[in-house]
Amino acid sequence: EEPAGKFSRCNSGGEGLRAAPRTGRRRPGRGKIVATGVCHTDLYHLFEGMHKDGFPSVLGHEGAGIVESVGPGVTEFQPGDKVIPLFISQCRECRFCKNPKTNQASGRHAMMASADSRFTCKGKKVLQFMGTSTFSQYTVMNQIAIAKIDPTAPLDKVCLLGCGICTGFGAAVNTAKVEPGSTCAVFGLGAVGLAAVMGCKSAGAKRIFAVDINPDKFEKAKVFGATDFVNPKDHDKPISQVLAEMTNGGVDYSLECVGNVTVMRSALESCVKGWGVSVLVGWTDLYDVATRPIQLIAGRTWKGSLFGGFKSKDGVPQMVKAYLDKKVKLDEFITHNMTLGQVNDAIELMKHGKCSLSSVSTPLSFLLQKWPQLERRVRNSI
Ligand SMILES: NC(=O)c1ccc[n+]([C@@H]2O[C@H](COP(=O)([O-])OP(=O)(O)OC[C@H]3O[C@@H](n4cnc5c(N)ncnc54)[C@H](O)[C@@H]3O)[C@@H](O)[C@H]2O)c1
Ligand SMILES: [Zn+2]
Ligand SMILES: [Zn+2]
């Protein structure tokens, strides 16, 4: 417990970014972030989403860390606990949390840049991206938005369970509910798509089509269980037709892990009529998605999945355990290990499709030397 108003000064090369653990009824606790991944959603926020009111903000939402201090009334956590920040929280009390059909949470648990951020820089408020902000040495979280994990878990690996891997894996297992012996197609082979491939395999799929316009991704997809590889650029006809021909009418399940509405349509139309299920995982809120009604009337189901359908506080520790029990892979997703000072380079790599996931660890006091540069870039993009 700490006196109200005492703050952590993140080592910021004089820029003065601060994370203050204000006390109060929202029961925050402050944690030191040890490792973080970079996810396409950070990139989306930075370059594509262009939410004008979403800056300045500290990005990053896929991290792992250690609780440093807790506010009054926090009973679930103690300093020293290993934790994963959650961008969708689970209060266990609201209408949504109590309903086993969803992992959505009600109003106050909303995502994206949280209005009551504890970050300030030179006296000015800095937003907390997705309520987490893991590109920082310290962050302040509500206890409903952190999951306590096995103390033996390696933080530089399990940080990936804070978003991409749970998202893709759960989209296959929880949302699509892939059945043994089925045929699946995964569109987009970033970390999310590769995790979806791993989910299909773990659910017992017999054939898994990995679809990407970047053929460099196929080798990795094989590691996670893909059996067939399709590059839409190699074909003149629509990819749904190509897949229909290869599967006698279409796949049982398809997962869109790109965030492109044209691909979303192709993924739906690649499913077999009668019972095909297509899941939207890729993120965009800039465009409408469309198809002819007959596609659905003919028995296909179109669904969406947020964070793989996992109720976050329950699901993340289970996925950490599955990793420790060697039931899910994580190490294989990591293409680069970098320092927080190189976070902009990591973003650059992701932009150019050179990495499926970077694990950015923070052995020393970084981010905030680099943070002003991140802010500059953000300003240029809006
Ligand atoms: N629903 C959720 O809860 C959730 C959570 C995390 C991320 N996401 C979203 O999931 C998506 C994937 O994230 P990521 O980090 O794996 O991204 P990524 O950029 O690493 O991977 C995207 C992949 O899609 C491929 N691709 C691009 N255009 C394509 C096309 N026309 N056809 C086939 N493949 C194509 C790219 O080559 C790349 O391999 C993003 O939109 C991200 O915002 C959603
Ligand atoms: Zn993410
Ligand atoms: Zn709730």
Side-chain angles (χ1 to χ4, degrees), residues 89-98 104-106 109:
S89 51
Q90 186 187 351
C91 74
R92 300 204 163 100
E93 286 164 12
C94 73
R95 180 183 178 194
F96 293 89
C97 286
K98 282 184 176 162
Q104 298 282 316
S106 59
H109 324 337

Side-chain angles (χ1 to χ4, degrees), residues 38-41 44 61 87 163-164 167 187-193 211-214 217 232 257-260 263 280-284 305-308 350 355-356:
V38 292
C39 165
H40 199 111
T41 307
Y44 176 83
H61 60 284
F87 66 85
C163 180
T167 294
F187 290 72
L189 304 170
V192 174
V211 184
D212 203 298
I213 50 171
N214 178 355
K217 304 276 179 165
C257 305
V258 179
N260 173 319
V263 180
L280 306 187
V281 189
W283 187 273
T284 181
S305 183
L306 182 66
F307 196 53
M350 181 169 57
C355 67
S356 62

